[in-house]
Amino acid sequence: MQSQDVAPRPSPASPTDPVVDIEQAEAALVEHYPRLVRLAYLVLPPGIGRNRRVVTAHALTQRALPRGRTPAPVIPAQSTGRDGDPGYAFVRLQVLRTALEAGLPLKRKAWPKRSQLPPLLPQVWGLRLFPRSGGADELALDQQLSALTGPARAAYVLRGLEKLPDGDVREVLTAAGVDDVDAALREADGLAARYELLDSPEFDPCSLQARPTDLMRRRQHMKAALAAAAAVAVCGALLALPGDGWGPDGAAAPSYAQNRSAQAALDPDKLTKVAPTAWKSSARTDFSVWPARGDLTDDRGLLRRALAVWARPGEKVQVSVTPGTPSGGPAGPPQLLYAGNVDNARVVILYDGLRIARYAEPKGGASRAALDFARADGARGAEASAMVLGRADGNVRYLTAPWVRKAAERDLRKPRAGAMDLTLTDGITAPMASPALRNGVCTSWNVLQLTDDSGTRLLTDLGELIPAHLTTGRPGSPHEASGAKAQRAWAPFACSLSAVRSQGVRSVNAWEYAQQPLPDASGTAAWVCTRAETWRGDGTRVLAQFHTPRGAYGAVAAKAENVPACGPRDPHVLAGVLWKSEAGPWYLLAAGSRDTASITATGGIDGSTQGNLLTVRTKRGAQAGLKGTLDNGRSISGLR
């Protein structure tokens, strides 16, 4: 009996098909093993649980090798490094086919397929393995993928991960035994094409976190002769734990740790609590001088649960980690920044010198807790002025530094609208609207405005614990974005901040590097480069944006990641855009920073100019490259 989702396997390939031997397939499997396992993990049904999903993905990939020499169907492999490799095409097809089979329901009158059974190998005893948690976008995508059928998930993954056009996706799915390929493609069309998220650590079953299994249930399956000894060991471990044993640990996983430093890190009595006035006499302006605030700073049970969950989060704990942030427990007793009631939750915020950890549990019970991590090493001044205390109903509430005197909410899209004051109570702001797209449209972008004795600054919520600091000006000497001129410069580009949500962004600088007169008396356009710096150093994202007088928003002309351009180490940028004037003609417009001596268009458009501005009349759809020369003779290329 066949499933409606997966048809019978296709007939063997003809003798004229390319032949794949085991050595060729093994070479492809070894070279591309992480990608193949990720493919299997994404296609497998999420409902089987992350631990089994990880182990099954590895098992299906390892079983994909052919037996001897096998005729391989001609399925193209489009991505770089795999072009025309029948070994990779064959292994990928086997992985996809068995991952689809693994998602089929078991039939009463039919033997289960091997892929539908829990894998014998690989196995990891005593541990649960799962990928590192991504951000809110990755979690949302995983939930959306879980709602698709197996073939639709496979179509989406082949499009996004393998970069295959629909024609090749159709061939691969047909070869994998999918009965209704058209229905799978239509279902995949209903999911937003956020393919870049498929490369997230959230979906990487080769970079894993380990947690213990249910230790008590594991011991219940031991032989009767060992049950008594196990019970004695468990009781001894409970007596050795500080406090009241496992009970007060709430949603934390069980532990037998006897390490003294680890025990000290879990002791709420050893938490560092800074005096309320310490910041006034300190030369430091970072989290280390924040006092402990909130109405539950003396709730020993709550603090112990927060520390225990940080050290060993249980299976039901929802964990989110800013990219590049270690998620392990504290090395010693951390500093308490906050413990109190926030909306419908009890919240604890801790700091260990490197990370901020936020623990939250519902007021009705601690069984379903959440744990969020953010990197905070080197944070000072504006970067240590606020952190997210809680989010509810589209609003966000902040905990501010003790030196903040005034807080306000401002719409970055509307610089002339002024700021709306936010009430500050013991450093906690009244709730303000989170910046977000409404039905895919950005009409506003609310930011937090903070004032202290050193001045006023703007911070924006990008979906993480620590808001990003907004600045303007030339790289290497930026200034605060709180002034009227800076806010007018940011306004057309505020919505582009959505492109760096959940990326661990520390600060974003907007630099207007050129102004260009437009042809046909259309006014003057502004060229702005926005650079998002991350807490981990790498992962920077640079956007060159183009804004005309009649445009409400800036248009992204070029973008790049992990490049020095538009930054303090290389304060130069060159970008171009095809633009149509109201009179009808099309033009190539390009601009470089002020020290650009000349620009030349290459490829499908011929043109050059002395100086940092280039205007060339062209046709719609023309393709061109850009080369520039700086005043010092150095060559630069267009940002892409």
Side-chain angles (χ1 to χ4, degrees):
M1 178 178 286
Q2 297 295 334
S3 164
Q4 295 179 352
D5 290 335
V6 180
R9 295 193 182 194
S11 59
S14 70
T16 59
D17 284 338
V19 175
V20 178
D21 57 31
I22 191 169
E23 290 83 6
Q24 187 177 12
E26 183 178 17
L29 188 146
V30 171
E31 181 180 359
H32 304 294
Y33 184 82
R35 174 174 289 272
L36 291 166
V37 178
R38 187 187 291 258
L39 173 68
Y41 181 84
L42 285 163
V43 174
L44 285 168
I48 64 177
R50 291 202 292 173
N51 179 74
R52 181 176 170 187
R53 195 173 164 198
V54 164
V55 175
T56 302
H58 283 273
L60 298 182
T61 304
Q62 293 171 15
R63 295 204 300 259
L65 290 177
R67 294 179 176 88
R69 297 175 62 82
T70 305
V74 182
I75 304 296
Q78 298 287 342
S79 301
T80 303
R82 305 185 298 278
D83 294 337
D85 181 358
Y88 177 79
F90 176 85
V91 174
R92 180 182 63 188
L93 179 60
Q94 295 301 108
V95 169
L96 183 64
R97 176 182 290 145
T98 54
L100 288 170
E101 289 177 349
L104 297 177
L106 295 174
K107 304 291 184 180
R108 287 186 177 182
K109 298 182 180 180
W111 288 101
K113 294 181 173 62
R114 184 183 180 187
S115 57
Q116 293 177 282
L117 300 174
L120 297 176
L121 292 173
Q123 285 290 346
V124 179
W125 296 96
L127 291 176
R128 291 189 179 275
L129 304 176
F130 49 90
R132 297 184 178 276
S133 299
D137 292 339
E138 287 86 348
L139 178 61
L141 177 60
D142 194 38
Q143 293 172 342
Q144 292 167 352
L145 287 173
S146 68
L148 300 180
T149 62
R153 271 197 309 274
Y156 186 90
V157 173
L158 289 172
R159 285 171 170 173
L161 188 66
E162 292 292 285
K163 304 295 189 293
L164 296 183
D166 279 2
D168 294 338
V169 172
R170 188 182 301 276
E171 292 184 37
V172 175
L173 293 179
T174 301
V178 174
D179 187 21
D180 194 344
V181 175
D182 291 333
L185 290 173
R186 286 194 300 270
E187 188 177 355
D189 289 337
L191 190 58
R194 309 209 52 193
Y195 298 139
E196 71 279 0
L197 297 178
L198 298 179
D199 290 319
S200 165
E202 174 86 21
F203 308 117
D204 183 5
C206 290
S207 178
L208 301 171
Q209 297 184 97
R211 294 290 183 269
T213 57
D214 189 331
L215 301 180
M216 296 300 295
R217 180 176 298 177
R218 201 169 72 195
R219 280 160 177 74
Q220 290 174 358
H221 292 87
M222 295 178 66
K223 293 182 179 180
L226 297 177
V232 172
V234 170
C235 291
L238 288 175
L239 292 173
L241 286 171
D244 299 320
W246 292 352
D249 290 352
S255 172
Y256 295 108
Q258 298 297 315
N259 182 281
R260 291 186 178 181
S261 62
Q263 292 182 11
L266 300 180
D267 188 349
D269 293 332
K270 296 185 181 298
L271 282 171
T272 299
K273 297 181 180 179
V274 175
T277 59
W279 65 273
K280 295 182 179 180
S281 57
S282 175
R284 306 183 67 168
T285 55
D286 56 21
F287 294 117
S288 68
V289 294
W290 278 36
R293 287 171 285 182
D295 56 347
L296 299 177
T297 55
D298 295 324
D299 188 331
R300 192 174 183 278
L302 172 64
L303 298 178
R304 176 170 176 77
R305 290 194 297 272
L307 290 166
V309 170
W310 184 357
R312 49 182 200 282
E315 293 181 0
K316 294 184 179 180
V317 176
Q318 183 177 350
V319 181
S320 68
V321 184
T322 295
T325 307
S327 58
Q335 177 184 346
L336 177 63
L337 302 184
Y338 180 85
N341 291 288
V342 181
D343 298 322
N344 294 320
R346 289 184 289 264
V347 175
V348 177
I349 298 180
L350 303 163
Y351 173 62
D352 68 351
L354 171 66
R355 301 164 294 174
I356 298 292
R358 178 186 179 274
Y359 169 84
E361 64 180 32
K363 289 183 178 180
S367 59
R368 291 194 173 274
L371 184 64
D372 303 313
F373 290 102
R375 193 164 171 175
D377 49 318
R380 61 185 183 276
E383 297 163 353
S385 291
M387 69 178 65
V388 171
L389 191 58
R391 293 188 176 90
D393 301 325
N395 294 322
V396 59
R397 192 189 298 269
Y398 292 94
L399 177 66
T400 63
W403 51 84
V404 171
R405 294 188 289 102
K406 184 179 180 181
E409 177 182 0
R410 175 181 289 279
D411 187 351
L412 198 59
R413 288 278 299 125
K414 302 171 184 176
R416 294 183 176 85
M420 182 177 67
D421 289 343
L422 294 173
T423 303
L424 273 179
T425 305
D426 196 22
I428 302 172
T429 69
M432 60 172 280
S434 298
L437 303 182
R438 304 292 192 270
N439 298 320
V441 179
C442 177
T443 57
S444 64
W445 193 272
N446 298 318
V447 296
L448 177 67
Q449 179 175 291
L450 298 180
T451 302
D452 57 33
D453 291 338
S454 64
T456 301
R457 52 189 56 89
L458 298 183
L459 307 171
T460 184
D461 178 19
L462 294 180
E464 297 169 334
L465 281 181
I466 302 179
H469 181 205
L470 299 181
T471 59
T472 60
R474 185 176 177 83
S477 56
H479 51 270
E480 298 297 339
S482 53
K485 182 178 179 181
Q487 291 173 31
R488 289 194 298 271
W490 253 112
F493 311 103
C495 294
S496 66
L497 290 166
S498 62
V500 292
R501 287 181 62 89
S502 303
Q503 299 296 314
V505 173
R506 182 172 191 159
S507 62
V508 187
N509 184 61
W511 171 38
E512 183 178 297
Y513 66 90
Q515 289 191 347
Q516 184 170 22
L518 296 173
D520 303 329
S522 300
T524 301
W527 287 90
V528 170
C529 179
T530 57
R531 181 181 176 91
E533 300 284 356
T534 66
W535 288 95
R536 62 191 182 276
D538 63 350
T540 57
R541 181 168 295 188
V542 178
L543 299 179
Q545 303 189 65
F546 176 76
H547 181 236
T548 61
R550 296 181 181 272
Y553 304 92
V556 176
K559 58 184 177 181
E561 292 187 14
N562 295 321
V563 296
C566 195
R569 292 191 176 182
D570 187 13
H572 310 288
V573 63
L574 172 63
V577 67
L578 288 179
W579 176 79
K580 181 182 179 182
S581 75
E582 293 184 355
W586 284 84
Y587 295 89
L588 168 66
L589 304 177
S593 46
R594 295 177 183 175
D595 49 0
T596 303
S598 64
I599 302 175
T600 301
T602 61
I605 302 176
D606 293 327
S608 62
T609 185
Q610 296 297 311
N612 68 327
L613 302 174
L614 173 66
T615 302
V616 180
R617 188 163 177 170
T618 185
K619 297 180 179 179
R620 179 179 182 178
Q623 300 289 326
L626 292 173
K627 292 184 178 179
T629 303
L630 301 179
D631 290 338
N632 60 8
R634 174 189 156 198
S635 297
I636 60 172
S637 57
L639 193 69
R640 61 176 64 239

